[in-house]
Amino acid sequence: MTLPTRRHDLGDDMTDTTLWNIDEVAAYLRVPVLTIRWLRQEGRFAPAIKVGRRLVWDARDIATWLESQREVEAA
């Protein structure tokens, strides 16, 4: 599967950021868009960035959130 990428060059002063819309996030996580909406409503998802009326997510925030969802192995 090819990961969705949307590269935005922010210049020399800022880092390069990949922003994903809700469809791209859902595709990356292989879940329905409704699951992303539900997790957001419950306050259990990575923080979104509001750009006008649209929501986007920094791919790094999605990766951090995903890692935090990893189950802990039983000892």
Side-chain angles (χ1 to χ4, degrees):
M1 174 180 166
T2 304
L3 300 180
T5 59
R6 186 169 293 161
R7 310 287 293 167
H8 299 277
D9 186 6
L10 300 175
D12 296 337
D13 298 335
M14 303 181 91
T15 60
D16 195 23
T17 304
T18 302
L19 299 177
W20 292 346
N21 64 31
I22 195 165
D23 294 315
E24 293 168 325
V25 171
Y28 176 72
L29 296 177
R30 298 180 184 171
V31 299
V33 168
L34 288 176
T35 300
I36 304 300
R37 289 186 177 140
W38 176 74
L39 287 168
R40 278 196 75 242
Q41 181 178 339
E42 295 290 315
R44 298 172 40 203
F45 197 62
I49 302 165
K50 192 164 187 178
V51 180
R53 299 163 99 186
R54 296 184 51 160
L55 294 176
V56 294
W57 284 263
D58 186 324
R60 295 171 297 189
D61 291 339
I62 298 298
T64 300
W65 175 84
L66 189 60
E67 186 61 32
S68 75
Q69 301 305 300
R70 188 180 299 272
E71 290 184 351
V72 178
E73 263 189 58

